[in-house]
Amino acid sequence: MKPAVALLALLLSAATAIPLVRKDMWWIRAFDFPRGQILVVGLATLAAYLSLWDALCPHDLLPLAALSASVVYQALRMRPYTPLAARQVRDADARAVDPAATLSLLVANVLMTNREAAAFLALARRYSPDLILTLETDDWWAAQLTALAAEYPHTVARPLPNTYGIMLHSRLPLAGAELRSLLKDDIPSLRVDVTLRSGQVVRLFGLHPEPPYPDEARSTTKRDAELLLVGKEAAPLQGPVIVAGDMNDVAWSYTTALFRKTSRLLDPRIGRGMFNTFHARVPLIRWPLDHVFHSNHFTLLQLERGPAWGSDHFPVFIRLALTPEAAPAQPEPEPDADEQALADAKIADALDE
């Protein structure tokens, strides 16, 4: 038993160390995803190792030390996405909030081949958000979502048959809508201004970059660069900003951290939970791929991972309150010079490909 435990300890340590290599190959960046799983298995392996303590030889201490360091490192990386950390976004005072200065958003990757449109429409009615952002929408899904037209008269849509279609349905007025292909012609992203009932304008970005696996992309270069391009565009904006979508990256990756600093946006999950959205059908393999980031103009009224309804992604529902006076208590993250240079280099590499 001891050799098997030692081998597992070394494998878990290697899985922890691999993503420390700052390279964009898909198989390296894939180890950013299962940090929670590595932590849980690592703790179980550590307990097994310690139960064999009397039988350990001095040379067994190396795997034990490596495993212990791995467990501590993974726990520290996961800690911000637990209630053990301070909340980055303050709770809104529901009694003091002006309803006209609130915005609710439902984000859902519908899974293009999924045909449970009735279940999704029921979900939309249940949450009744101001905005519905759907991803992987093709022509079939666009036809099904016409059922939303009566309640959501404002629409921006680019359905596509390649799993990168994107649609926005809105009760609130939209202006200046653009569907842009930042790096690849067949992968659009959304930029639009949303006017709240109070008259305040919010800049909304919707994203769905390609995921890091061989069938889609052998490196994360373009995924990372698309996030960072939007981050650089969002950072200098003086008004309220929201960036949402299936970003095909986990909340705790160094790329997502770099995006948050580059964009100067906040993550409402920090201090609250992981809100794992994928894979809805495989409980043991889940991580947060669907995100909503926002500027410090907002405080949080509600954040919820919705129920499984037919897609391989859970939906995300968020309700925000425009609270500009809360900004000083919610400091923006900022990149240092090295992080700024890294973001610029990633964008340059993607544009050169």
Side-chain angles (χ1 to χ4, degrees):
M1 178 179 177
K2 187 172 68 173
V5 174
L7 177 60
L8 182 55
L10 292 173
L11 290 174
L12 291 168
S13 301
T16 300
I18 285 172
L20 297 176
V21 178
R22 296 294 189 243
K23 298 293 183 182
D24 289 353
M25 286 86 81
W26 74 268
W27 64 270
I28 291 178
R29 298 275 55 89
F31 283 98
D32 283 323
F33 286 55
R35 292 194 183 280
Q37 289 84 351
I38 292 171
L39 176 59
V40 170
V41 176
L43 287 169
T45 306
L46 185 60
Y49 224 131
L50 292 175
S51 72
L52 299 169
W53 183 261
D54 290 342
L56 291 177
C57 299
H59 62 265
D60 292 320
L61 295 178
L62 178 60
L64 178 60
L67 177 61
S68 299
S70 298
V71 166
V72 170
Y73 177 78
Q74 298 288 17
L76 290 173
R77 291 298 299 269
M78 300 295 292
R79 181 179 176 274
Y81 296 92
T82 72
L84 297 174
R87 293 181 174 182
Q88 189 174 60
V89 177
R90 295 177 59 186
D91 290 320
D93 182 353
R95 296 167 300 179
V97 165
D98 176 5
T102 65
L103 180 148
S104 57
L105 169 66
L106 181 69
V107 180
N109 181 320
V110 299
L111 179 62
M112 190 178 74
T113 56
N114 173 29
R115 292 297 179 258
E116 299 292 336
F120 179 74
L121 292 171
L123 188 75
R125 287 193 295 271
R126 169 182 165 181
Y127 283 105
S128 190
D130 297 316
L131 304 167
I132 302 174
L133 178 66
T134 49
L135 308 157
E136 291 203 24
T137 40
D138 60 1
D139 287 334
W140 186 90
W141 271 101
Q144 304 306 307
L145 295 180
T146 57
L148 296 170
E151 287 191 63
Y152 296 87
H154 310 285
T155 306
V156 184
R158 188 180 176 189
L160 289 171
N162 63 352
T163 73
Y164 292 105
I166 186 170
M167 297 186 71
L168 178 70
H169 291 79
S170 177
R171 286 193 175 116
L172 303 173
L174 304 177
E178 291 185 68
L179 287 164
R180 309 176 297 170
S181 297
L182 296 176
L183 292 170
K184 297 186 74 172
D185 291 341
D186 57 352
I187 300 181
S189 68
L190 168 69
R191 180 178 65 188
V192 65
D193 289 332
V194 182
T195 302
L196 304 186
R197 296 170 184 87
S198 63
Q200 175 68 54
V201 175
V202 177
R203 175 66 55 87
L204 172 69
F205 297 89
L207 299 175
H208 185 204
E210 56 190 349
Y213 59 85
D215 290 346
E216 296 285 344
R218 294 187 175 274
S219 81
T220 63
T221 301
K222 288 189 180 296
R223 179 202 69 181
D224 299 349
E226 183 167 344
L227 297 177
L228 295 170
L229 281 167
V230 170
K232 280 183 166 291
E233 187 174 352
L237 298 177
Q238 298 300 306
V241 178
I242 296 173
V243 177
D246 171 7
M247 300 183 191
N248 280 312
D249 197 9
V250 285
W252 46 76
S253 76
Y254 91 94
T255 305
T256 299
L258 184 62
F259 164 77
R260 286 194 292 107
K261 292 180 179 181
T262 302
S263 65
R264 294 170 168 78
L265 300 180
L266 309 182
D267 186 344
R269 292 167 298 190
I270 291 177
R272 290 187 170 87
M274 299 176 196
F275 299 87
N276 295 326
T277 58
F278 178 90
H279 195 294
R281 301 171 186 169
V282 187
L284 295 179
I285 305 177
R286 284 185 181 164
W287 33 70
L289 298 189
D290 302 88
H291 309 260
V292 180
F293 302 99
H294 60 78
S295 58
N296 63 359
H297 299 81
F298 295 101
T299 52
L300 183 68
L301 285 163
Q302 184 180 354
L303 176 62
E304 184 178 329
R305 186 189 76 178
W309 59 275
S311 175
D312 53 351
H313 287 246
F314 293 99
V316 173
F317 175 78
I318 190 168
R319 189 183 302 277
L320 297 166
L322 194 62
T323 320
E325 62 273 18
Q330 301 181 142
E332 299 174 334
E334 292 188 27
D336 60 28
D338 289 341
E339 289 166 334
Q340 196 70 262
L342 177 60
D344 292 339
K346 280 182 167 289
I347 292 172
D349 288 345
L351 294 173
D352 288 341
E353 282 191 358

